[in-house]
Amino acid sequence: MTSKIIKYILQIVLLFIAVKQDCNAQSLMLKMKMGEHSLSLDSSYEVNQTDSIQITTVKFYLSDMAFWNNDSLLYAEKNSYHLIDLANPKSFYLHFDLPSGFTYNQIKFKLGIDSITSVSGSFGGDLDPINGMYWAWQSGYINSKIEGFYFKQGVKKEFQFHLGGYQYPFNSIQELTFKVDSQSSVFIAFDLLNFFPYLDLLKRSHLMQPSLDAVLLSRYLKNCFTVK
Amino acid sequence: MKMKRVLIFLLVFSCLGFVSRQSFNFSIPKGWPKPVYNFNRNPLNEDAVFLGRALFYDPILSKNNTISCASCHSQYNAFTHADHALSHGIYDSIGNRNSPTLMNLAWHRSFMWDGAINHLDMQALAPITHPKEMGERLDSLLLKLNRSKLYKSMVAKAYGDSIVKSEYVLKSISQFLLTLVSANSKYDSVMRSEAAFTAQEGKGYKLFQRHCNSCHSEPLFTNLAFENNGLCMDENLRDFGRYLITQNPTDSFKFKVPTLRNIEFSFPYMHDGRFKTISAVLHHYASPKCKTSSLSYLLKEPIKLSKEERVDLTAFLLCLTDKGFLFNENYSYPRKMFLNRANGY
């Protein structure tokens, strides 16, 4: 009888051991930039000799992080939703527990939240609507928020871009793929300066609903990313 | 041997203790389609249903603690707003639309007259944060709820967490709303062969099937689609309906087809509550005034009924009244709970 009990306990303990695998901690770090400068809140950045930009909000979702070796998927993070917030430097560090003993040479991720998640109801954590990245009046995540002020020859103008939309023809999620050489320290660089050359901030300074323009601006925002 | 059984029982029971609470039995009425709502992501349990019910009736959801969900969704009106064409919210603000009825929501794919909301869990966010409805911020609401002993203990019971989070709030409100099932009208009894229509109701049912059933399809009495039924746009409201969401011109003036269940008590009718009576609605369908290009093809020919036929059809529509739903105590104001709070619990 006693031996049977011990056997049961052993089986349960073994089950727990079997589940725990060897893992290899991998970190990715976001470097937030504005051209040559590091991007920080409320600093002013010169765009040209007369104009400058001040940033008050930069928030965006990176999702579906996946590590590849050429054409084969090595690791896809589960429940992979990361809200990057310029006001919260902790959010620049992404940690993954990769299975040990493989080498990847590509990382893929998405800028924004996919359509299935968008129609699946309430979530917590980074997807909690309390983060201010959800449209209450028309369901859907705000994939990215860029806000600030534009100074054109001394005239101050506020801009607010809330980019989102998951339904055709306004699906604004962007897929990104990058080749990676070294695995020791991988940086995802986000250079916001690449967002502005296409925009005429005096003509259009607000965008807050799914639209073709939001899709276009999301593509511009995609151009801000590089991986080193 | 006996000890082994006891051990297995204890092991299973202790595991269940972490995940399973008193589950709520959601039964699908006979002959109804499968619900759209994914219960696996939010399995009903008695404690969460009750938490949702408390939140539904509690004006704490609004910025100045004056407006609750029930302010515009009262049970005896099939959870719509009694006698108000346009619903009014915080600071006496008047909204743009008539508040919809709340029933059989587990079968709905989208919410609001224009389908702006894609999931029941996210629905409550819209009225809570709308400046003309409850005017509250989600973070302020959570602060208030986390200061309440009552809600903290209810969340602990329902979710085993010491903090009130938005996910619990939203999912609990869904849980309560999902329990609002109306499937026990005279019509349902007739379908189950437990009762029979009178001759007049029977004639009305035939007329209903011929003229109304394509959009107000049985058994939900809505096809859940968006249709333009030929109403002229109110010049003050300038409500373009579904077009506001899709920005597709073919969706102009389309609104979600409402259920006809409990229609006797859900007046006034239409997205802007312009008709006070069933008779006014039937009068409209006899000659829709604004036949724009997005008009439902089912209404290309107006629904011309004789005076006698209108009476028969109305007699049938009254068979959709479900008193067991309208007066179900499980759906009503949780008096005892709020009384306990008033007494300092």
Side-chain angles (χ1 to χ4, degrees), chain A residues 63-108:
Chain A
S63 66
D64 284 344
M65 309 287 308
F67 296 80
W68 292 66
N69 186 309
N70 297 326
D71 291 334
S72 46
L73 174 65
L74 299 175
Y75 174 77
E77 188 186 31
K78 279 187 187 146
N79 296 319
S80 182
Y81 311 104
H82 302 275
L83 176 57
I84 314 298
D85 182 356
L86 187 57
N88 174 21
K90 267 192 203 158
S91 69
F92 305 163
Y93 297 89
L94 309 179
H95 302 286
F96 306 92
D97 285 331
L98 305 181
S100 61
F102 76 5
T103 43
Y104 60 87
N105 59 12
Q106 248 185 73
I107 57 173
K108 294 188 183 188

Side-chain angles (χ1 to χ4, degrees), chain A residues 1 4-5 8 12 118-124 128-130 134 136-141 166-167 169-170 209-211, chain B residues 1 3-4 7-8 11 41 116-119 121-122 125-126 129 138-139 142 165-167 170-171 242 244-247:
Chain A
M1 190 66 230
K4 274 191 177 172
I5 296 172
Y8 275 118
I12 290 167
S118 298
V119 298
S120 296
S122 166
F123 295 89
D128 193 323
I130 205 166
Y134 194 86
W137 55 277
Q138 178 179 357
S139 300
Y141 285 92
Y166 64 91
Q167 269 176 315
F170 306 136
Q209 61 175 340
S211 62
Chain B
M1 208 49 210
M3 193 164 170
K4 184 179 154 190
L7 265 176
I8 291 174
L11 190 73
R41 276 210 71 231
I117 309 299
N118 67 21
H119 195 287
D121 293 358
M122 308 321 265
L125 275 179
T129 58
L138 190 55
D139 49 359
L142 287 173
K165 295 175 180 160
S166 39
E167 194 177 355
L170 297 175
K171 285 188 168 172
R242 181 71 178 154
L244 298 173
I245 303 305
T246 63
Q247 295 169 46

Side-chain angles (χ1 to χ4, degrees), chain A residues 158-197:
Chain A
E158 189 177 12
F159 62 84
Q160 287 181 313
F161 297 108
H162 297 180
L163 310 177
Y166 64 91
Q167 269 176 315
Y168 178 83
F170 306 136
N171 23 4
S172 64
I173 191 168
Q174 302 295 314
E175 293 186 29
L176 296 94
T177 302
F178 293 104
K179 288 248 179 279
V180 188
D181 306 326
S182 133
Q183 307 213 345
S184 53
S185 54
V186 181
F187 293 103
I188 300 175
F190 173 79
D191 185 353
L192 189 57
L193 199 60
N194 293 335
F195 180 63
F196 291 105

Side-chain angles (χ1 to χ4, degrees), chain A residues 139-152:
Chain A
S139 300
Y141 285 92
I142 301 169
N143 290 332
S144 50
K145 261 189 189 179
I146 311 290
E147 298 176 356
F149 297 100
Y150 184 54
F151 298 88
K152 176 127 184 126

